[in-house]
Amino acid sequence: MTTYVIGDVQGCLDPLRRLLDRLRFDPAADRLIFAGDLVARGPDSAGTLRFVRGLGAAATTVLGNHDLYLIGVAHGAGEARDGLEQVLRAADADELVAFLCRQRLAWHDARSGTLVVHAGVAPHWTLDEVLAQAAEIESMLRDAQARARFLPHMRGDEPARWTPRLDGAQRLRFAINCLTRARYCSADGTFEFKQKGPPGSQPPPLLPWFAVPDRRTLDTRIVFGHWSTLGRIEWPEFKVVGLDTGCVWGGPLSALSLEEGRVIQVGGGQG
């Protein structure tokens, strides 16, 4: 059995099919972990959702910011953009959105010591706290009433810093932003969500979230997507692997074999 973590697909179904062929993926024996953003910008977000849903128990998805944005729009919070209209117009739109609402915000494999999130973690969080925050969001998304109460309040950049005193919508919003939108924060854990360039392009005092000194998950290998401009995949000095290699922009689609530590790629693009 091999476990593969796959970076941002963003509706690029053809590269995903070619990647699985390259992996010789066997759904009866292997497992896929998608690092978020199954949808948006690419040519076939609806088909990608149907394909991943069809993999059943062989695939687990960690939700990304675009996936959550689609959930919000489907519930009346926000306007469709970036190709999400295709999903919302589909005859099976309700089923596709319901599938996303059943997915994860974080996935942890104790055997390999690997945590998968879409974007990042707060430097103050331990591994257990990351998983607890993710579970809280997952519980909300699976509860129709809780979902309806929160989704109109999901968007926004505040609060920007974690404190255990956060509660209600503010607690959920911070955790979602951290897990699905994070790139940079200051050494005290205050996040800034506008900067998207590679490390070194950010103004001081911002740091990549994974480079914050004394981050409490330094002993955990973290695999994430979201950051297509990161510049390289493996950052061993911080024990992180970034798998968004910009497939939707013409870059490759990447997978990491957890057992072998090997990165496998196919050419990307929207075709």
Side-chain angles (χ1 to χ4, degrees):
M1 173 180 170
T2 303
T3 303
Y4 299 101
V5 185
I6 296 179
D8 301 36
V9 178
Q10 290 213 10
C12 295
L13 180 56
D14 178 64
L16 174 58
R17 292 182 184 275
R18 287 190 283 110
L19 179 61
L20 297 192
D21 287 343
R22 175 82 180 273
L23 299 176
R24 297 183 180 179
F25 171 67
D26 179 0
D30 300 327
R31 188 172 187 186
L32 303 178
I33 311 298
F34 289 92
D37 281 359
L38 291 178
V39 303
R41 297 195 175 106
D44 197 358
S45 288
T48 299
L49 289 175
R50 293 186 192 107
F51 180 80
V52 174
R53 182 181 62 177
L55 294 171
T60 297
T61 296
V62 170
L63 295 175
N65 53 306
H66 288 294
D67 305 316
L68 284 164
Y69 187 81
L70 173 59
I71 291 172
V73 172
H75 288 82
E79 298 182 0
R81 64 188 187 195
D82 294 331
L84 297 181
E85 303 90 340
Q86 179 206 46
V87 179
L88 298 170
R89 289 195 302 263
D92 57 347
D94 289 347
E95 290 83 357
L96 296 177
V97 173
F99 165 73
L100 284 178
C101 288
R102 295 192 297 270
Q103 302 312 304
R104 309 283 296 275
L105 267 293
W107 178 86
H108 179 243
D109 178 41
R111 182 181 58 176
S112 65
T114 302
L115 172 70
V116 180
V117 296
H118 178 61
V121 302
H124 300 91
W125 287 346
T126 64
L127 173 61
D128 286 344
E129 287 170 327
V130 173
L131 298 176
Q133 295 307 312
E136 192 171 339
I137 300 164
E138 293 160 9
S139 178
M140 176 273 295
L141 289 173
R142 293 168 187 169
D143 183 308
Q145 292 184 341
R147 196 166 63 230
R149 287 193 302 269
F150 172 72
L151 288 175
H153 308 286
M154 178 171 64
R155 298 178 65 193
D157 293 347
E158 297 294 334
R161 187 173 185 272
W162 171 253
T163 167
R165 294 188 297 276
L166 291 177
D167 60 10
Q170 287 198 330
R171 182 183 181 92
L172 288 168
R173 188 187 309 117
F174 175 85
I176 284 173
N177 282 343
C178 188
L179 293 168
T180 71
R181 296 178 60 209
R183 291 186 182 95
Y184 291 107
C185 65
S186 57
D188 71 353
T190 301
F191 281 85
E192 199 282 337
F193 297 106
K194 298 295 191 294
Q195 300 294 321
K196 297 182 179 181
S201 68
Q202 80 277 14
L206 297 178
L207 299 166
W209 64 265
F210 53 77
V212 172
D214 301 320
R215 173 169 55 87
R216 299 183 74 188
T217 49
L218 279 171
D219 291 334
T220 300
R221 176 170 64 165
I222 300 180
V223 183
F224 61 99
H226 185 60
W227 200 340
S228 63
T229 63
L230 195 55
R232 56 186 166 106
I233 291 175
E234 298 188 66
W235 296 72
E237 64 271 41
F238 302 112
K239 210 171 178 180
V240 300
V241 179
L243 286 178
D244 182 3
T245 44
C247 176
V248 76
W249 307 116
L253 182 62
S254 300
L256 170 70
S257 164
L258 292 188
E259 288 76 15
E260 300 176 0
R262 182 168 59 100
V263 175
I264 307 96
Q265 297 180 317
V266 297
Q270 297 194 26

